[in-house]
Amino acid sequence: MNVREFLDRLLTSPHTRKSIAHVKHLAARPARYGRLKQPLADPLPAVLNARGLAELYTHQVQAIEQIRDSRDVVVVTGTASGKTLCYNLPVMEDCLRQPQTAALYLFPTKALCQDQLGTIQDFLFGQPRLSDALRPAIYDGDTPTTNRRRIKSEANVVLTNPDMLHVGILPYHAKWGRFLSDLKFIVIDEVHTYRGIFGANVAGVLRRLVRVCRHYGAEPTFICASATVANPGELTERLIARPVAV
C-alpha cells in the first residue's frame, strides 16, 4: 500500500473519516542538495552510493559541517527527510578517524533504540572498516546482565533512554569511565518529547551528564533532532543549557 492508498483509506473508512478535521495537499518541491567542504571519510561515500544516496540534502550538509566544527545543533525537518544521517554520518566519520571516539544516543522509547540500532547495523553490514570502527550496543532495562560488563568495556556507540541514563549509568559513572572520557557526541532524537515535567527532569539529567563528562575530561557535542517541534532552538537550549545552531 502506497501513501496515496493509505490516505484514501483513512478518508473513506467509516472508522476514521469522522476523526479527520482538515485535509491539506502540499505540492511536491524539488530536492535541494549540497556539497561538503571535505568529503566524508572512506568508506562512507561508497556505502551511501550503494544505498542510492549519491547526494546529501542541504540540511544534512549544514548539520554535518556544524558538527565537524564541534557546534551543538538541532535539526528540524519533515518526517523521512534524512535526519538520522545528520547524526550517524558525523559519528561514523569520527569513529573512523579517531578510534577512541564514543557516542551516546538517547531515545525516548526502547522501540526507537531497537530501530536505530538496526539502522546502524545496516550500514555496517559487509563493511569491515566500519564494523571495526563502530561497536554499537543498546543499554537499557532489557539488556541482559551478562552483556552489561562487555558493553561498558567495549562499546563506543551506546543507545539508551533518559531513565536508564539516570538510574543505570550516571550513578555508576566510575564503571563507565573509559566510555565517558572518550564521549564526543550526545545524540538526542525526538527532542520534542522532552517538554513539561518530563522535559525538566531530563534537563536535570543532562546537566549531570555534562558535569560527569567534564570530570573525565570530555566536552561532548550535542546533536538533537525532531520533526514536529515549532520552537526548536528555544526548547533545545533550555534542555541542554547551551546555545545551539538550528
Side-chain angles (χ1 to χ4, degrees):
M1 182 187 301
N2 59 34
V3 174
R4 174 64 65 183
E5 292 171 340
F6 176 70
L7 292 176
D8 287 343
R9 180 170 295 187
L10 287 179
L11 292 170
T12 57
S13 171
H15 301 292
T16 57
R17 64 187 179 190
K18 292 182 180 180
S19 301
I20 299 174
H22 177 70
V23 177
K24 183 176 181 179
H25 296 277
L26 301 177
R29 294 180 296 176
R32 293 186 298 169
Y33 299 103
R35 179 170 295 182
L36 294 167
K37 295 176 183 177
Q38 294 183 353
L40 291 165
D42 289 330
L44 291 175
V47 173
L48 290 175
N49 281 325
R51 299 167 67 91
L53 303 172
E55 297 181 277
L56 295 175
Y57 295 126
T58 52
H59 68 274
Q60 293 171 328
V61 170
Q62 292 168 3
I64 292 170
E65 294 290 9
Q66 298 277 9
I67 295 164
R68 282 175 167 177
D69 291 337
S70 300
R71 295 191 63 185
D72 301 321
V73 301
V74 55
V75 181
V76 183
T77 58
T79 303
S81 57
K83 289 185 293 298
T84 301
L85 289 179
C86 292
Y87 54 80
N88 274 341
L89 289 179
V91 168
M92 290 179 179
E93 178 178 65
D94 212 274
C95 288
L96 283 164
R97 291 176 171 166
Q98 304 290 336
Q100 74 274 18
T101 291
L104 179 68
Y105 284 35
L106 294 177
F107 300 98
T109 66
K110 294 179 181 179
L112 281 172
C113 274
Q114 294 289 344
D115 288 345
Q116 292 302 323
L117 178 62
T119 297
I120 294 173
Q121 290 174 334
D122 285 345
F123 267 87
L124 304 186
F125 182 76
Q127 297 292 332
R129 282 194 62 200
L130 269 180
S131 297
D132 288 342
L134 269 79
R135 301 177 299 281
I138 291 176
Y139 192 86
D140 61 22
D142 295 333
T143 303
T145 303
T146 53
N147 292 349
R148 296 190 177 194
R149 181 177 297 179
R150 178 185 58 79
I151 292 171
K152 293 172 188 175
S153 62
E154 297 179 11
N156 63 350
V157 177
V158 173
L159 298 82
T160 188
N161 55 69
D163 183 60
M164 192 62 178
L165 174 63
H166 175 56
V167 302
I169 296 178
L170 292 178
Y172 310 100
H173 61 81
K175 296 181 179 179
W176 288 85
R178 175 206 61 89
F179 179 83
L180 293 170
S181 63
D182 292 335
L183 190 59
K184 190 166 183 180
F185 302 103
I186 300 172
V187 175
I188 308 177
D189 204 356
E190 305 292 331
V191 71
H192 60 274
T193 61
Y194 303 115
R195 295 179 291 184
I197 294 175
F198 180 41
N201 288 336
V202 173
V205 172
L206 293 175
R207 283 157 176 73
R208 185 183 179 196
L209 171 61
V210 169
R211 291 196 299 270
V212 170
C213 287
R214 287 174 179 161
H215 173 74
Y216 289 98
E219 192 68 45
T221 298
F222 280 92
I223 311 172
C224 306
S226 173
T228 60
V229 65
N231 58 335
E234 177 189 4
L235 174 64
T236 305
E237 287 180 358
R238 294 184 68 182
L239 187 66
I240 68 174
R242 286 153 60 156
V244 297
V246 182

